[in-house]
Amino acid sequence: MASSPCSSVNFDSGLEIKTRSVEQTLIPLVSQITTLINHKDKPKKSERTQQAIQKVGQAVSVAVGRFVAVGEAIAVENEELKEEMGMACFEARRAGDAIAQLTDVGTAVTRPVDGRTTVFSDRTGMVKAARMLLSSVTKVLVLADRIVIKQIITSRNKVLVTLEQLERVSTFQEFVQIFSQFGNQMVEFAHLTGDRQNDLKDENKKARMAAARAVLEKCTMMLLTASKTCLRHPDCESARINKDAVFHRMRFALEQVMEIVTDARPCGETKVLPLSIYTGIKDFKSNVEGLREGLYLLPHQALSGQLEAVVERTEDFTDSAYTSHEHREGILQLCQLARQDTDQLITAWMEAQSLNAKEATEEMELSILKTCQSVYELRRELHKVAVGRAADLLKLHAEHLPLRALKASGGEGNLEAVAEYARTLGEQKEQLVETCRLLCHVSGTEPLEITCIHAEETFHVIGPQIISAAQTLALHPSSKIAKENLDVFCEAWESQLCDMAVLLREINDVFEGRRGDKRAYVSLPRPGKHSANLKTVKAVKLDAEEQSTIAKLGLELRLLTSDMDTEVEKWEDQEHDIVRQGQSLSSMAYSMYLFTRGEGLLKTTTDLFHQAEVLSEEGLQLCSSLHTFSTQLMDEEKVVVLSEMEKLMGLCQQLQMGVRTPVQGKTATFQKVDSSIQNTRAIITVVIYLLPVCNKIVRKYKSERSSLGSPQSWRDRQSSTAVKDDVLNGKNSNGFGVKSLEQHMANLTFLESK
């Protein structure tokens, strides 16, 4: 707020403004009042100036009137705030009327000396009215903000109640019913907390909120599969341990969100970050440089004590078994150099004090520069070690070999192999946890420190959960649910490794002075292939009104993808080309639905158009598979499939042409977004019709082996002409890591058959 109008006038409302929305609402009002106050400082004003001042005063009064009307409406709807809100609105209206009266030319005073007229000669009255207005308006806004907080608390309470019900269920049928309700509640909670996160002014709180919401997002998926596994295998101890850990973590994350939203901690505790080396060096350097301005503000022991605290924390690096001898020696030497330079500074400082110097001497100035340089060199060496370690680990574990081995040995029912690979994963977990701790020391900002702590906690928790899921699978190697559960936990681990890579880049950016230069991080199928068609399109984000309009279309798209996933689940052969391509289309359509809600990895309209073009090509590939499929059918069945295939082809070509057509202007871009989603919806509708038709035909031909030979030979002929591209056949459906909540919910109706 240092550069905002709110800081130019000292009107203390006595209320802390914690959100950007409240702050941004106040800025124009502060600006107008500042204009009035500044004009009062000029005693002579022309008639034109006086009229301008009157207009500003009237504008303030009218704006306050409208604002108060909204506040009074809120008071009627919220009984618990009615009295406070009513009083704040009354004071705001009275202050607005006072400002309008003080700036009214009709009440201007004629000066006896020169005969000129002046407005609001009562400066004290104007300042008093301005203070009252800002104080009351701020109070109305803060009270309205309490309603938002209340909504989040109410939503959290609903989630907690349903969470307890889920924990106690004993049948699949009951679980399906309650989890459907839970899923909807979590979606609502995610919306409310996401809006709150974006609105928070405090960057540390935003980072903590992001971390807690990330836990809830991943745990929602884990809760589903862990609960399913426990219901399918109720006597399995490892399945119970796996499930209990997820519920515990979800409750903890929910409490973290509440602490941030309500700004309160249990038992009056204060959330304090563990002191990092970066923070220690920053404070030490600040005190060293502060000696230039004040030689007598600090005791000598303060500097040496600060440095020793920093050196002590470097033991996290030097005591690590994974730090090379060369790096360890380098850190120790730089610590010793920093001690020597600090001792020389203290000596020069004491000499300057003995001479009663009023400012730093030349010798002291030189010592200050040397000390700052030595601690910078120490920080740079520690940064190099931590970032290098993290980069090496990410490369080493890029292929996820322990996860693959655990999946394979669990699927084979080999408990001994699971135990062996569990130890390997445990070692990997310890390396990653320690590396996150080192990154925290050199992160460069408190929000990044919070993100590092979150990453450390995530690896620490998910590692044992993967192992318990693998043990469950080894005990029940034929269980599809146990396999799915292990897959979800492994995906969460892989997702956290990707997050760690992004974190690493951000830490490097801060160290190299590129803070604020945000990289566009969007994961799209086959990135770069379609960029040539969209080079000239300016990427934009939809505003709130457009997002609201497009969200209605998106909801229909989400429901269609759920129906499509349901039809896909009914196929016995999940590796069939039509099934895999259908899954791929559903995944891409789902990512477009997330865009309509302002979520997911499609951030701009350009990202959406890229995704739509990929989807259209996938649809055309499905048309090719359907054509091949139709060549083996009888006339009546062939006509049905080819007829729908032609519809699908036309829609895909229409979508492709639409996204490749360049447009200019915001309205045209919005219309293009609308058209892309409408066409996608039409494509998915046709595929939903085709899936059960083709599935019925496949089942029929398999039961009548004499018509097409053995099932295997029929399938061989079918797959021999199909497209072999793995991505297009759905083997890498979306690359987004853990399945979305809605996708999991779509599978619930098939729990009993698995």
Side-chain angles (χ1 to χ4, degrees):
M1 286 287 290
S3 60
S4 72
C6 285
S7 60
S8 59
V9 183
N10 183 23
F11 295 118
D12 183 13
S13 68
L15 296 167
E16 183 185 358
I17 300 171
K18 298 177 182 178
T19 59
R20 297 186 189 280
S21 55
V22 172
E23 179 181 277
Q24 293 301 316
T25 304
L26 286 173
I27 285 176
L29 184 59
V30 173
S31 178
Q32 288 178 321
I33 291 177
T34 302
T35 300
L36 295 176
I37 297 296
N38 289 343
H39 275 292
K40 177 61 192 80
D41 293 336
K42 302 171 184 177
K44 294 184 179 182
K45 301 178 181 68
S46 67
E47 183 177 344
R48 185 176 177 181
T49 301
Q50 291 179 34
Q51 289 176 349
I53 293 172
Q54 182 181 22
K55 284 184 178 179
V56 173
Q58 290 173 343
V60 169
S61 180
V62 171
V64 169
R66 292 172 180 165
F67 177 82
V68 165
V70 175
E72 289 170 342
I74 292 173
V76 171
E77 295 173 1
N78 296 271
E79 188 66 31
E80 70 277 12
L81 297 178
K82 190 171 183 178
E83 186 176 345
E84 280 187 277
M85 184 71 87
M87 182 59 68
C89 288
F90 173 77
E91 291 177 355
R93 195 186 295 278
R94 187 173 66 172
D97 293 342
I99 288 174
Q101 186 176 0
L102 286 167
T103 56
D104 188 358
V105 175
T107 61
V109 179
T110 302
R111 292 168 57 91
V113 179
D114 54 13
R116 295 177 68 90
T117 58
T118 62
V119 293
F120 62 86
S121 56
D122 182 6
R123 178 179 176 80
T124 303
M126 172 57 72
V127 172
K128 183 178 179 182
R131 286 184 182 277
M132 181 184 292
L133 178 60
L134 285 175
S135 176
S136 55
V137 167
T138 302
K139 188 166 186 179
V140 170
L141 289 168
V142 171
L143 287 171
D145 191 58
R146 278 194 210 166
I147 296 169
V148 177
I149 294 172
K150 177 186 172 185
Q151 289 175 333
I152 296 174
I153 293 172
T154 302
S155 179
R156 188 284 305 256
N157 291 341
K158 289 180 185 176
V159 169
L160 274 179
V161 170
T162 312
L163 195 65
E164 289 178 4
Q165 293 174 349
L166 279 174
E167 199 169 17
R168 294 195 302 267
V169 297
S170 56
T171 65
F172 273 116
Q173 186 176 2
E174 186 183 5
F175 177 79
V176 169
Q177 181 181 358
I178 296 175
F179 190 85
S180 296
Q181 178 186 351
F182 176 74
N184 292 329
Q185 291 172 348
M186 284 301 297
V187 169
E188 178 193 8
F189 189 69
H191 272 298
L192 292 171
T193 53
D195 291 342
R196 189 66 179 179
Q197 177 185 322
N198 292 331
D199 199 24
L200 288 170
K201 286 172 59 183
D202 189 314
E203 292 298 325
N204 289 358
K205 287 183 179 178
K206 287 181 80 166
R208 288 175 58 208
M209 180 74 90
R213 291 179 72 243
V215 170
L216 290 172
E217 180 184 350
K218 290 176 181 175
C219 279
T220 301
M221 312 310 158
M222 297 173 187
L223 182 144
L224 174 60
T225 56
S227 297
K228 285 162 59 178
T229 305
C230 221
L231 285 169
R232 179 63 73 202
H233 309 290
D235 298 326
C236 182
E237 180 67 12
S238 57
R240 186 193 60 77
I241 292 171
N242 189 257
K243 171 191 163 186
D244 289 348
V246 176
F247 275 90
H248 174 76
R249 197 159 184 240
M250 282 204 78
R251 287 194 175 93
F252 183 73
L254 286 167
E255 287 310 308
Q256 283 185 313
V257 171
M258 286 302 99
E259 289 169 12
I260 299 160
V261 169
T262 61
D263 205 25
R265 288 185 63 79
C267 306
E269 299 173 10
T270 303
K271 180 71 175 179
V272 179
L273 288 174
L275 198 57
S276 67
I277 293 175
Y278 164 76
T279 303
I281 287 178
K282 183 179 71 172
D283 293 343
F284 173 76
K285 188 178 176 184
S286 176
N287 283 336
V288 168
E289 292 176 333
L291 294 176
R292 294 188 177 105
E293 306 299 327
L295 296 178
Y296 306 94
L297 299 178
L298 283 175
H300 305 139
Q301 298 85 351
L303 279 188
S304 56
Q306 270 189 309
L307 180 63
E308 286 307 314
V310 169
V311 170
E312 183 179 345
R313 285 191 286 278
T314 63
E315 291 175 1
D316 284 346
F317 289 78
T318 56
D319 290 353
S320 170
Y322 306 109
T323 301
S324 68
H325 177 73
E326 179 185 354
H327 284 146
R328 184 177 292 108
E329 288 300 310
I331 293 169
L332 292 173
Q333 288 175 10
L334 287 169
C335 287
Q336 189 57 34
L337 179 61
R339 283 193 182 107
Q340 292 172 2
D341 289 339
T342 302
D343 289 342
Q344 290 178 4
L345 171 59
I346 291 173
T347 300
W349 180 16
M350 293 174 66
E351 288 178 1
Q353 286 180 325
S354 67
L355 297 173
N356 294 322
K358 294 183 179 180
E359 58 184 22
T361 61
E362 288 186 14
E363 182 183 359
M364 190 175 167
E365 179 65 34
L366 182 62
S367 293
I368 288 173
L369 293 173
K370 286 180 65 179
T371 303
C372 289
Q373 181 62 28
S374 61
V375 293
Y376 171 77
E377 293 294 336
L378 175 60
R379 180 194 165 199
R380 185 168 66 177
E381 179 67 17
L382 295 172
H383 174 87
K384 184 174 74 172
V385 171
V387 168
R389 168 92 65 81
D392 290 343
L393 268 181
L394 288 172
K395 288 178 185 176
L396 180 64
H397 303 306
E399 296 183 4
H400 311 296
L401 296 179
L403 301 184
R404 291 184 185 181
L406 280 170
K407 289 179 184 180
S409 54
E412 294 167 357
N414 190 336
L415 281 168
E416 290 183 4
V418 165
E420 180 184 346
Y421 292 120
R423 284 191 291 272
T424 303
L425 184 67
E427 292 172 4
Q428 180 178 328
K429 180 207 75 174
E430 290 303 322
Q431 288 182 335
L432 288 165
V433 164
E434 183 179 284
T435 301
C436 289
R437 196 173 301 134
L438 300 188
L439 286 174
C440 183
H441 276 308
V442 301
S443 57
T445 68
E446 288 191 3
L448 286 179
E449 285 182 23
I450 291 167
T451 307
C452 289
I453 293 169
H454 165 67
E456 177 185 341
E457 291 172 349
T458 301
F459 285 125
H460 185 75
V461 171
I462 294 183
Q465 288 179 311
I466 291 174
I467 293 169
S468 62
Q471 290 169 341
T472 302
L473 179 59
L475 291 169
H476 308 279
S478 61
S479 171
K480 291 182 179 179
I481 289 180
K483 181 181 181 301
E484 180 189 11
N485 187 49
L486 178 57
D487 287 342
V488 166
F489 281 94
C490 289
E491 286 170 0
W493 178 275
E494 293 166 10
S495 173
Q496 189 57 52
L497 284 173
C498 292
D499 292 344
M500 186 176 175
V502 175
L503 173 62
L504 197 58
R505 290 200 298 268
E506 290 178 348
I507 290 172
N508 265 326
D509 284 350
V510 171
F511 184 79
E512 294 170 12
R514 295 196 302 268
R515 184 180 178 185
D517 297 341
K518 295 292 184 184
R519 283 183 168 88
Y521 180 70
V522 180
S523 175
L524 294 172
R526 297 183 293 163
K529 179 173 180 180
H530 307 277
S531 58
N533 298 321
L534 298 166
K535 281 183 180 176
T536 59
V537 178
K538 182 179 179 182
V540 297
K541 288 190 176 182
L542 301 181
D543 60 31
E545 185 178 352
E546 291 168 338
Q547 197 80 53
S548 175
T549 302
I550 214 74
K552 296 174 184 177
L553 277 176
L555 181 59
E556 294 176 15
L557 191 59
R558 198 276 281 182
L559 294 173
L560 286 171
T561 58
S562 293
D563 291 342
M564 193 163 169
D565 292 337
T566 298
E567 292 301 331
V568 165
E569 282 281 336
K570 294 178 181 178
W571 282 65
E572 292 178 0
D573 182 6
Q574 290 290 305
E575 294 302 311
H576 197 289
D577 294 322
I578 292 175
V579 172
R580 291 189 295 178
Q581 288 165 343
Q583 288 172 331
S584 184
L585 285 169
S586 176
S587 175
M588 287 186 273
Y590 186 81
S591 70
M592 294 173 72
Y593 152 68
L594 289 178
F595 172 88
T596 67
R597 286 179 26 181
E599 300 174 2
L601 295 176
L602 306 180
K603 302 298 184 185
T604 68
T605 52
T606 299
D607 300 334
L608 179 74
F609 300 149
H610 275 257
Q611 184 73 94
E613 187 173 9
V614 176
L615 185 142
S616 68
E617 291 190 2
E618 183 74 357
L620 291 172
Q621 290 292 337
L622 177 57
C623 289
S624 176
S625 295
L626 288 168
H627 185 270
T628 302
F629 179 78
S630 70
T631 60
Q632 306 166 63
L633 307 181
M634 304 296 288
D635 288 345
E636 185 178 344
E637 295 165 338
K638 186 173 184 177
V639 168
V640 173
V641 172
L642 288 178
S643 173
E644 293 301 316
M645 183 205 74
E646 287 173 3
K647 288 183 189 177
L648 180 60
M649 184 178 296
L651 290 168
C652 290
Q653 290 171 345
Q654 185 178 343
L655 176 60
Q656 199 169 66
M657 288 175 62
V659 296
R660 289 178 176 177
T661 303
V663 294
Q664 297 292 333
K666 190 173 181 182
T667 302
T669 301
F670 175 70
Q671 290 173 347
K672 185 174 175 180
V673 169
D674 180 87
S675 174
S676 299
I677 294 173
Q678 296 255 28
N679 286 333
T680 299
R681 185 180 60 178
I683 289 169
I684 298 301
T685 302
V686 173
V687 177
I688 289 173
Y689 175 81
L690 275 167
L691 281 170
V693 170
C694 295
N695 189 22
K696 183 180 179 181
I697 293 170
V698 170
R699 287 174 180 268
K700 175 187 172 185
Y701 276 55
K702 282 193 174 182
S703 64
E704 298 171 1
R705 297 185 181 185
S706 59
S707 300
L708 293 171
S710 70
Q712 185 59 44
S713 64
W714 180 85
R715 181 179 173 183
D716 287 344
R717 289 199 295 274
Q718 154 66 14
S719 61
S720 66
T721 55
V723 179
K724 297 301 183 182
D725 188 322
D726 283 349
V727 174
L728 299 180
N729 282 340
K731 285 185 179 177
N732 187 16
S733 60
N734 60 9
F736 294 168
V738 183
K739 292 180 184 176
S740 64
L741 168 62
E742 284 83 355
Q743 285 173 312
H744 276 295
M745 288 176 66
N747 296 333
L748 286 174
T749 54
F750 301 100
L751 283 173
E752 306 246 328
S753 64
K754 284 191 176 182

